Amino acid sequence: MSKKKKGKHSAHKTTVLPTMKGVLEVTRSGIGYVVMGEGVGDILVRPGDFNTALHGDTVRVKVIKENANTKKKEGRITEVVQRKQTEFIGHIQLSTNFAFFIPTSEKPMPDIFIPLFKLKGAKNKEKVIVKLVQWEKGDKKPIGEVVSIMKEEDINDAAMKEILAEAGFPLAFEADVTEAAHRLPEVLDSKEIKQRKDCRDILTFTIDPIDAKDFDDAISFRYLKNGLYEIGVHIADVSYYVEPDTALDEEAYKRATSVYLPDRVNPMLPERISNELCSLRPHEDKFTFSAIFQMNNKGEVQEYWLGKTVIHSDQRFAYEDVQQIIETKAGKYVDEIMLLHDIAQRLRKQRFKSGAINFSSQEVRFKLDDKGKPIGIVIKESKEANQLIEELMLLANKTVAAHVSKIKINNKEIPFPYRVHDQPDEDKLKPFIEFAKKYGHKFDISSPEKIAFSFNQMLLDVKGKPEQHVLEQLGIRTMAKAIYTTENIGHYGLAFEHYAHFTSPIRRYPDVLVHRVLQSILSEKPIIDKKMEEKCRHCSERERAAMECERDGNKYKQVEFLKAHVGEVFEAVVSGVASFGFFAETVAHKCEGLVSIVSLSDYDDFRLIESDYSLAGRRSGRQFRMGDKVMVRLVAANLDKRQLDFEWILNADKNEISKKKK
């Protein structure tokens, strides 16, 4: 009797539950879960209740069942709020009167119906990119159109596009967006020039990677009569061209960021804007938004000015050019560059003195042939030329954020996309501190500042030692992730009380938002955007998706590069441990692969010891700890899964290894 009552009560509960918003995640088996916010359990959805939703879509879900004991919920999707992905890669299946598109997605999804007049000449079994154009509630099948046909030999191109499409980044701009970009005037408006600070007669130059096409920041320098230096940080004025509520703005917001893959950039804005109108190319007048500082020779800011400007870049430097000038103290504009270098190093020193954490950055770059195939790997490190730009950009970013934070309307702060970084999580920090102790490093955890100083001391002590890489990587993992939010809690990693992204509006949408809010304040008509927090969440999510794409792109190239070396032996370092094996990163190429627990079972029965970041053998006492040097043989390179498989070698033949190194 009581059971029946319970059932009635449960049924009654579900009728009053409203629809909720979340993201649909489809498992390989086809079952879906709508992932809700924190504190709300995921809602199971069966395939028959997806109601046109696909994996990754933001949806509204209505709870139809709830277990009174476990609180587990089952639901039905009532609406697709936003599609994550509208472009797919797969194959055409052609019949006499119609065609179907079969996606290659790992996640189950229906085939897409393609009307014959939307085939663009695609033939049976050809690999294509298809765009989903219609799927209403009553439609049995989604309807699509072929966007482009992929050539079989362009395997690289297909792989990179698949990475982007699966993450929900459009592969091309819609016609209306491209047209809007092309309608923008090339000649600077003379009335607009008069309303701006004219900086065209001041020495100005850009410093960027050698292969850069979009230059979104420039530096100006001049001596002032009062004995101070004037240093201008000039940023491409994207917000002048990309106005709110236009097709260009909507597209930029949807993408929220450019994505940098080994062989291409998937840009946030059409090339007409990013590479032409807004790019601060040499010997061209450009509209900019600037932070101009008066500084003494100690790098201390005496005064600053923020506002719209017009500039003329005199020189385009690559980082390598400036690095050579710094090292040889000779070259074009050597005096100005040496002064800027000195100021940047002083700013950097002060930042670390204030508690910024000095993680060294290494970047893996691929040398590619004309088909995008990797023929070499280069490890790039941040040098003084990079630091020169980095410190001046950081100065501009923190100055803008501090300036905006002081403005109040009715005693309330203006909604603004701060870039924040929380203090380390204690639970993540404890095992790391215990691990670092084994290498002789002590941590003072009495305050967040003391933790930062302990980190810096460890990073200094460990430089050049075998454990450097592992302690740096583990240290980074203990850190919170930086995000965009209107709640200004400061930036722990940089030791800044106020921080925002102002310096890269060509490739990041939050910078465009920063420009708009700042200009509204300077014009004394502050924008109060009630949707700013929602925009921040979207930009943070897209940033994470872009980072995943970049990781996947690099992983693909690593696998492709080592595919020809299956069977060869490499020196490696244990870069991660898990219950299913350990990850090893080759010393020569920084390529990571898995040594599975199964392949180790002939030697011993290994178990994961989480607190020690190691795998330990039960009988032999043999340990594989993060940072340990090991010899591994490459046994498989799977491009589809972007995965390398290694096997551990106890006694490697030294001749075999040295031969492979040459």
Side-chain angles (χ1 to χ4, degrees), residues 207 318-329 337 341 382-387:
I207 307 174
Y319 282 120
E320 291 80 357
D321 304 329
V322 174
Q323 189 61 33
Q324 194 173 2
I325 292 168
I326 291 168
E327 287 174 11
T328 62
K329 297 181 176 56
I337 282 171
H341 163 61
S382 176
K383 292 188 175 178
E384 289 91 345
N386 305 74
Q387 291 161 10

Side-chain angles (χ1 to χ4, degrees), residues 407 409 414 517 519-529:
I407 311 298
I409 305 287
I414 288 168
V517 176
Q519 184 53 36
S520 76
I521 288 166
L522 297 174
S523 307
E524 298 182 347
K525 295 172 188 170
I527 295 170
I528 309 297
D529 187 345

Side-chain angles (χ1 to χ4, degrees), residues 246-263:
T246 59
L248 273 170
D249 184 49
E250 283 167 20
E251 183 69 12
Y253 174 67
K254 184 166 78 177
R255 294 171 181 242
T257 180
S258 295
V259 187
Y260 292 84
L261 297 179
D263 64 345

Side-chain angles (χ1 to χ4, degrees), residues 173-235:
F173 290 99
E174 297 282 0
D176 62 332
V177 176
T178 311
E179 280 167 26
H182 278 284
R183 282 198 302 269
L184 294 169
E186 198 163 331
V187 178
L188 299 190
D189 184 275
S190 55
K191 283 182 191 169
E192 180 65 27
I193 289 173
K194 284 173 188 167
Q195 290 171 20
R196 293 171 176 252
K197 185 190 275 277
D198 196 334
C199 300
R200 287 177 292 183
D201 60 345
I202 305 167
L203 170 65
T204 303
F205 46 79
T206 58
I207 307 174
D208 290 280
I210 200 158
D211 53 357
K213 291 184 178 70
D214 58 332
F215 313 133
D216 53 11
D217 56 79
I219 304 297
S220 69
F221 182 92
R222 68 175 168 183
Y223 300 94
L224 298 175
K225 287 175 184 173
N226 60 8
L228 298 175
Y229 308 129
E230 183 190 88
I231 297 170
V233 177
H234 307 283
I235 308 302

